[in-house]
Amino acid sequence: VMLFNPNTLKTDLSKWLTYRENSCFIRNAADVKIDIYCGTEYTGFLYALVHESAHVVDYVESHTPYTEKDIAIIKEVKATTTPFTKNTWKDLAEPLPSYDFPNRTSITFYGDGGPRINISDARELYEHLVMTPFVSLYGSMTWAEDFADAMTFYHTTHMLGQPYEIRYAKHGEQDRVFRPMESHKVKERFSLLQKPYQR
């Protein structure tokens, strides 16, 4: 069963993802602005549908060892790694030390226990993110969210031809645009993201 926020049907994809992203930050600096740009052709429902569907695919096909701890018990999962998580994750919510970064464990979205990160620290956070295999802050939280967001942004950019940019602006500083899908580490996983399409 999938439950969807009806607002995703009437909000364009960029605005919806911008709303989600900003829910991660404490607004301690009024001059910092963060926008996620994925074009205006699709609504936020695209993100919701593909992301949640990717979780279902993961649950059935085990692209990660398990999507939640309880699922591991129910399915009697014995594997501790898969081709997707190998060389990236140590456990469900613990990446290898080389891909961990400051404030990663403080990342929250939609008010779920937060926000706990100052928006004044956002630039440093994104600078760390694009040095990892993760396509988003959301994806850096667990290997299940990593797979779901990687599939979602791969589908958005490579199958639908839309952009994916994290735009950071602060008064008095040069604007920054982060493009995670162009990261060398992210590109190394593209062959793994193509597998669900190969039927």
Side-chain angles (χ1 to χ4, degrees), residues 13-198:
L13 181 58
S14 295
K15 287 180 181 177
W16 183 259
L17 290 175
T18 295
Y19 160 74
R20 182 190 77 158
E21 199 77 1
N22 279 275
S23 74
C24 182
F25 298 107
I26 300 166
R27 297 212 60 84
N28 71 314
D31 61 342
V32 175
K33 184 178 180 183
I34 295 170
D35 290 298
I36 307 297
Y37 184 67
C38 288
T40 57
E41 187 172 343
Y42 297 93
T43 67
F45 186 70
L46 171 70
Y47 175 84
L49 179 62
V50 178
H51 179 95
E52 297 307 327
S53 297
H55 280 312
V56 174
V57 170
D58 188 14
Y59 173 80
V60 173
E61 298 186 350
S62 298
H63 291 277
T64 67
Y66 47 85
T67 54
E68 298 175 23
K69 292 285 188 181
D70 289 345
I71 298 299
I73 297 170
I74 293 169
K75 292 181 68 176
E76 299 181 352
V77 174
K78 300 290 190 261
T80 58
T81 190
T82 65
F84 183 81
T85 62
K86 185 180 180 181
N87 300 323
T88 303
W89 290 94
K90 184 176 180 181
D91 201 354
L92 173 65
E94 184 182 356
L96 296 179
S98 54
Y99 298 132
D100 207 349
F101 50 87
N103 274 330
R104 188 194 63 81
T105 56
S106 296
I107 294 170
T108 60
F109 286 88
Y110 304 120
D112 184 16
R116 301 200 299 259
I117 303 173
N118 288 327
I119 200 165
S120 58
D121 295 326
R123 177 174 175 169
E124 181 182 4
L125 197 63
Y126 291 121
E127 287 174 344
H128 285 295
L129 175 70
V130 294
M131 300 300 291
T132 73
F134 311 131
V135 301
S136 65
L137 294 181
Y138 201 82
S140 74
M141 296 171 67
T142 69
W143 63 35
E145 300 302 348
D146 179 21
F147 177 76
D149 252 21
M151 284 300 307
T152 301
F153 286 110
Y154 181 84
H155 189 80
T156 301
T157 58
H158 284 69
M159 307 305 287
L160 300 178
Q162 300 304 296
Y164 170 39
E165 298 178 346
I166 302 169
R167 297 175 174 180
Y168 170 94
K170 180 179 180 181
H171 182 70
E173 290 186 8
Q174 184 176 359
D175 292 354
R176 291 290 307 274
V177 177
F178 300 95
R179 298 181 178 90
M181 296 304 287
E182 296 180 7
S183 160
H184 175 68
K185 292 293 182 181
V186 170
K187 287 181 176 181
E188 287 180 347
R189 303 171 102 189
F190 281 178
S191 62
L192 298 172
L193 299 177
Q194 292 163 4
K195 289 185 177 181
Y197 297 95
Q198 296 168 357

